[in-house]
């Protein structure tokens, strides 16, 4: 049993309302702990879950890591230089919402016009419109955080720039994986400053949903569930 299933009571699959059988859980990347959680939640003694891998080789992207940058002013110049010279469409990632807003203001003032921003405070309708434009190839640049990217299979993104240090390898792997899906050349560039590592460590320690918060929400979903006629 993993960390999650040691803390939360296990729910048999029969308690899940309106769950079709068979049903499928799909993910581009999934770690061992998540697989163990799915197995604990959804396997029955006579009907365990099946795991099917559809991995395929992709052209290796170029990964560039800048030497540590002294301050934000210097990073701004390096980001601007990268955006002027690296191929687009591109994504500029940061971590915090305020940083995404600041970078969006910075690049638009620098003259980039075909650009949008995505983070958790953006309305769902606006986010959907931005994602639709991105997937159809009608945007040159998106400035975002982890709220942008997951589940978006746009083939022709060429560059990902990190104006931050991702808090773990899974996030970094997911975000650079937005590029080069057409098996053509792509680039990942990370531009770290002195303060980024401290921010990343702080985010790793955060527990946004603890057992005390998560369990009542989980139980409430079952109590409020309704059967479809």
């Amino acid at each position: 049993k993993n960390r999650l299933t040691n803390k939360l009571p296990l729910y048999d699959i029969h308690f899940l309302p309106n769950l079709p059988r068979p049903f499928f859980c799909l993910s581009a990347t999934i770690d061992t702990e998540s697989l163990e959680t799915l197995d604990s939640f959804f396997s029955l003694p006579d009907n365990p879950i099946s795991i099917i891998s559809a991995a395929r080789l992709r052209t290796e992207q170029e990964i560039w890591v800048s030497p540590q940058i002294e301050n934000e002013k210097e990073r701004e110049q390096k980001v601007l230089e990268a955006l002027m010279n690296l191929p687009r469409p591109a994504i500029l990632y940061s971590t915090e919402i305020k940083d995404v807003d600041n970078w969006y203001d910075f690049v638009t003032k620098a003259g980039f016009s075909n650009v949008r921003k995505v983070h958790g405070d953006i309305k769902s309708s606006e986010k959907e419109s931005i994602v639709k434009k991105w997937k159809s190839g009608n945007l040159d640049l998106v400035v975002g955080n982890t709220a942008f990217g997951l589940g978006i299979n746009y083939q022709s993104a060429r560059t990902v720039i990190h104006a931050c240090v991702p808090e773990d390898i899974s996030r970094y792997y997911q975000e650079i994986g937005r590029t080069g899906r057409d098996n053509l050349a792509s680039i990942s560039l990370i531009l770290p400053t002195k303060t980024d590592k401290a921010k990343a460590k702080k985010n790793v320690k955060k527990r946004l949903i603890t057992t005390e918060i998560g369990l009542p929400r989980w139980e409430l979903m079952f109590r409020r569930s309704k059967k479809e006629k």
Side-chain angles (χ1 to χ4, degrees), residues 154-181:
Y154 173 52
Q155 300 291 312
S156 302
R158 300 268 64 90
T159 298
V160 164
I161 301 170
H162 279 91
C164 61
V165 171
E167 61 270 19
D168 57 43
I169 194 66
S170 295
R171 175 190 161 188
Y172 181 65
Y173 183 71
Q174 284 275 2
E175 290 173 353
I176 66 173
R178 307 273 71 83
T179 64
R181 295 186 169 213

Side-chain angles (χ1 to χ4, degrees), residues 53-87:
S53 175
R56 67 179 180 89
L57 292 176
R58 287 171 55 183
T59 301
E60 192 72 35
Q61 65 185 180
E62 289 193 38
I63 297 178
W64 297 350
V65 180
S66 168
Q68 184 172 276
I69 299 165
E70 290 301 313
N71 52 60
E72 283 298 325
K73 204 69 180 175
E74 183 182 348
R75 176 151 64 184
E76 286 179 356
Q77 295 308 309
K78 289 186 178 295
V79 166
L80 186 57
E81 181 183 358
L83 290 175
M84 291 291 191
N85 290 282
L86 295 179

Side-chain angles (χ1 to χ4, degrees), residues 2-68:
N2 60 35
R3 289 179 298 171
L4 176 62
T5 54
N6 278 333
K7 294 177 181 177
L8 297 181
L10 299 184
Y11 288 83
D12 188 278
I13 196 171
H14 296 294
F15 287 94
L16 296 175
N18 308 316
L19 193 62
R21 300 184 188 182
F23 70 98
F24 300 89
C25 298
L26 306 177
S27 177
T29 54
I30 191 167
D31 57 27
T32 301
E33 184 178 10
S34 298
L35 284 174
E36 290 173 352
T37 300
L38 289 172
D39 184 56
S40 298
F41 279 173
F42 299 120
S43 279
L44 295 173
D46 58 343
N47 188 17
I49 64 170
S50 298
I51 300 170
I52 301 173
S53 175
R56 67 179 180 89
L57 292 176
R58 287 171 55 183
T59 301
E60 192 72 35
Q61 65 185 180
E62 289 193 38
I63 297 178
W64 297 350
V65 180
S66 168
Q68 184 172 276

Side-chain angles (χ1 to χ4, degrees), residues 9 33-34 53 65 81 92 105 113 138 150-151 180 182 187-189 200 206-207 215 219:
E33 184 178 10
S34 298
S53 175
V65 180
E81 181 183 358
L92 174 59
D105 292 341
S113 57
N138 291 321
L150 297 181
D182 52 7
I187 293 169
S188 164
L189 171 64
K206 281 183 180 179
R207 299 186 67 188
L215 180 56
E219 292 176 331

Side-chain angles (χ1 to χ4, degrees), residues 87-199:
R88 296 191 289 270
I91 305 172
L92 174 59
Y93 276 115
S94 194
T95 299
E96 298 180 0
I97 288 175
K98 64 178 182 178
D99 294 329
V100 174
D101 289 335
N102 290 338
W103 280 114
Y104 176 78
D105 292 341
F106 173 75
V107 298
T108 52
K109 287 177 182 176
F112 291 88
S113 57
N114 193 19
V115 54
R116 297 292 185 273
K117 64 178 177 181
V118 174
H119 54 59
D121 286 351
I122 300 294
K123 292 181 180 179
S124 295
S125 57
E126 184 180 353
K127 193 183 297 182
E128 288 173 7
S129 173
I130 294 168
V131 169
K132 186 175 181 180
K133 277 189 169 186
W134 174 256
K135 290 176 70 174
S136 61
N138 291 321
L139 281 177
D140 287 335
L141 175 64
V142 171
V143 183
N145 59 2
T146 52
F148 179 75
L150 297 181
I152 298 174
N153 186 24
Y154 173 52
Q155 300 291 312
S156 302
R158 300 268 64 90
T159 298
V160 164
I161 301 170
H162 279 91
C164 61
V165 171
E167 61 270 19
D168 57 43
I169 194 66
S170 295
R171 175 190 161 188
Y172 181 65
Y173 183 71
Q174 284 275 2
E175 290 173 353
I176 66 173
R178 307 273 71 83
T179 64
R181 295 186 169 213
D182 52 7
N183 284 329
L184 299 178
S186 61
I187 293 169
S188 164
L189 171 64
I190 185 165
L191 298 165
T193 66
K194 291 180 178 179
T195 60
D196 287 337
K197 287 185 180 180
K199 282 185 180 180

